[in-house]
Amino acid sequence: MAPVTFEVPAETREAIVSAHPRPDFRRRILHAFHTDPTHRPQATFGNTKADAPDRCEDHYARPNFVRIIEDSPWPE
């Protein structure tokens, strides 16, 4: 299945950014994604927020779904 893409026409994008400026957006959104889950990094499992601590934190170990299943303490 091909990924879903959504194209916003340039004039629409310009109107939105004009009405809602995004100063320093890239740095600020990545900072928010990085700092938001610092007190609960397990909440990033299975979503895009895991990318920020994975990139920014030397000690962060991204949870691995397969490893979680394989290491489950639940009996078969």
Side-chain angles (χ1 to χ4, degrees):
M1 176 185 270
V4 175
T5 60
F6 180 74
E7 284 293 324
V8 176
E11 58 275 3
T12 302
R13 193 172 43 252
E14 290 166 11
I16 292 169
V17 172
S18 177
H20 305 281
R22 303 164 12 121
D24 201 21
F25 176 79
R26 288 183 180 98
R27 187 191 64 76
R28 291 172 64 196
I29 193 66
L30 291 175
H31 177 75
F33 276 5
H34 176 222
T35 58
D36 176 56
T38 55
H39 66 285
R40 51 186 175 72
Q42 68 281 6
T44 65
F45 179 68
N47 67 56
T48 58
K49 283 191 175 184
D51 292 341
D54 189 53
R55 170 118 190 253
C56 300
E57 300 289 331
D58 291 334
H59 64 277
Y60 180 77
R62 183 189 293 255
N64 180 292
F65 180 73
V66 172
R67 218 169 295 132
I68 290 169
I69 296 299
E70 290 176 339
D71 296 343
S72 173
W74 287 76
E76 299 261 342

